[in-house]
Every structure is written in structure tokens, then in C-alpha cells.
Amino acid sequence: MLQIFKDTHYEFQGNRRIAFIISGALIVLGLLATVLRGGPNYSIDFTGGISLVLRFEQHVEESPVRAAMAGIGFPDAEVKVIIGRGQEDLMVRIPEASDADEQVDKVITGLQEAFPGNPLTVRSVEAVGPKIGHELRNAAILAILASLLFIVIYITWRFQYRFAIASIAALTHDVLIVFGLFSILNLQISLVVVAAFLTIVGYSLNDTIVVLDRIRENVKKLRSKSFEEQVNISINETLSRTVLTSGTTILVVFILYFFGGAVIHDFAFALLAGVIVGTYSSIFVASPILVEWNLRKPEKRTKK
């Protein structure tokens, strides 16, 4: 097995209090940004609205289209370029204020007037009502909560209850920080982004379980050492695997973020941030919580 770190002895647990402060500060900043902005910036997937896919005969930049949309009464319109199979389309999303057909006609007429001599073709029109958007938002929240519940059950059965609590704390930490970044940067929360959150939960859990499994093994093997030393040794032993897995994943998501196009830009950003934070949390959140728990309620161990 390829190892880029051999016989490392980094003192991770000695700096756990600093890590707790950094994580807490990031979460508070994200929540504060959410409150100051009046709540999350939901896309029309959750608030309701109209999505149009348009195709101009000649190339059109996003900025002039946004300016044209603002000129016809849609200053909050979302405009993205979609490139695929040699064709270039334009996705325009607007909140639905009244009759959908009337809004669509208004958009098409306004853009045709803004770009004369550049014929416009409507590829597709999709409308999402506010009620459906509200139901989708509730379903997304339930999906995340249900995934966390099943994770608690699985890890409690597979390891111990304290391991499950540490894992859930790390996963919640990851989602809150990425969610906070979206609020700070005022990025939209869509169904695609929710899918990215669930992907982050799965990735972070996989990395955390690898560390927890090694901790469980070393608790049995290294009985002469303290629990803090056992955890620190376990992290050092899995460090090569963690860095290699996270590094290759980050490389792929990085390429996806910069070259994947505007449609999946937010999804790729969520994954990029989530993989970085998830790698951090398995070392500096889940494991330190176990150490702090053991300091307050030591686990009874029998010596052979």
C-alpha cells in the first residue's frame, strides 16, 4: 500500500482545544451570516418559480442577459450558461409572482427586444409552485435528519454509543460549516446542493469510521497507554490513507468546480468544501470528542 507518511508522531490531540475554537468560530460566523441575510438563500426549487432554457442563434454573455432581465422587471433572475454536445443554451430562473404563462411571455418578449437580430428559441419551460417548493424543502430536511438517525443506529451497533455521538457531531459540524459558507457567499440552496450535503455526510462518515475502527483496535492492543495516546497513534497510523483518499477526491472535485460549467458550480463547490472540512473533522472533531468524553467518564478496561 502506498504511504506518504511513515512512522509519524504528530500530536493531534494536544491541539484539540484550538481546533474546537476554530470550528466553533466558523459555525457561529455561518449562522450569523444566515441570520443577517434573513435566512438561507433558497432557489426556486424550494421557493417556487419558473425555469426557462433558451437558445440564442448567436453567442450571448450572461451579464447582458442579467441586465436585460433587470430592465424588464426581474432583478433577482438567475442566469446560467449551459454547454453540452457543442450547443450553448441559457438557463433563466425567475420567482413566480403571478400567472406563469404571462411571466414567460414577458421574459421572451423582453429578451427578444434586448437582443434584436439574434433569434431566440425556447427549449423548455418548467414551473414550480410555492406549495411544492415548501414540500420539497421539508423533504430535504427530513432526508438529512433521517440519514443522521440511521448513522447513529449503525455506529452504535457497529462500535459504541459514544462513537456514534462523536460521528454525528462531526457530520453536523461539516454540514453547518458548508451551509455557513453558502450563507456568507450568498449562494443558493437548491435540490442539487442538498444532494451535495448528503454526499458530504457519506464521505465524511467513511473517513471517520476508518479512524474509529483503528481506535477500537488500538484500545485492545495498546492497553499500557492512555486513551488519548491510543487515539493519537490511531490517527497517525491512518494519516496516509486519509491524505491519499482526500487528496485524490479533492483533485477530481477541483477540476469539476472549475471546468464543469455553471450548472453544477454550486454542487461542486459544496463538495469541495465538504471534502476538506470532512477530512478535518475526522481528525480534529470526532476523535477529540472521544478523548474529552473519556476524560470525563473513563471507559473501564481490564488488563491482561
Side-chain angles (χ1 to χ4, degrees), residues 118-273:
N118 193 356
L120 170 67
T121 304
V122 180
R123 304 283 293 171
S124 67
V125 177
E126 180 182 359
V128 179
K131 184 177 180 180
I132 296 177
H134 181 72
E135 293 175 354
L136 289 174
R137 182 170 56 190
N138 291 339
I141 295 173
L142 287 175
I144 294 176
L145 294 178
S147 66
L148 295 178
L149 174 62
F150 283 114
I151 288 169
V152 169
I153 296 173
Y154 169 75
I155 297 182
T156 301
W157 169 74
R158 184 73 172 78
F159 297 95
Q160 296 177 12
Y161 178 68
R162 65 175 68 190
F163 282 46
I165 297 302
S167 300
I168 290 300
L171 298 180
T172 305
H173 162 276
D174 300 342
V175 173
L176 285 177
I177 287 184
V178 177
F179 178 82
L181 286 175
F182 269 71
S183 294
I184 293 172
L185 300 175
N186 200 29
L187 300 176
Q188 287 192 332
I189 305 293
S190 63
L191 284 174
V192 174
V193 172
V194 172
F197 285 164
L198 293 173
T199 305
I200 291 167
V201 168
Y203 180 88
S204 179
L205 177 65
N206 176 68
D207 198 39
T208 302
I209 283 181
V210 170
V211 177
L212 295 182
D213 192 52
R214 185 58 60 90
I215 291 173
R216 184 179 60 173
E217 292 176 0
N218 285 335
V219 165
K220 298 177 181 178
K221 292 193 304 182
L222 308 175
R223 294 179 179 273
S224 62
K225 297 185 179 296
S226 67
F227 185 73
E228 181 176 340
E229 291 175 314
Q230 292 169 347
V231 171
N232 211 61
I233 292 171
S234 301
I235 294 175
N236 278 280
E237 289 178 348
T238 58
L239 190 60
S240 286
R241 184 265 179 199
T242 298
V243 172
L244 282 172
T245 304
S246 300
T248 53
T249 306
I250 289 172
L251 178 62
V252 173
V253 178
F254 184 82
I255 294 173
L256 185 66
Y257 176 75
F258 282 99
F259 302 104
V263 176
I264 60 173
H265 189 268
D266 292 348
F267 174 80
F269 173 78
L271 284 183
L272 183 61

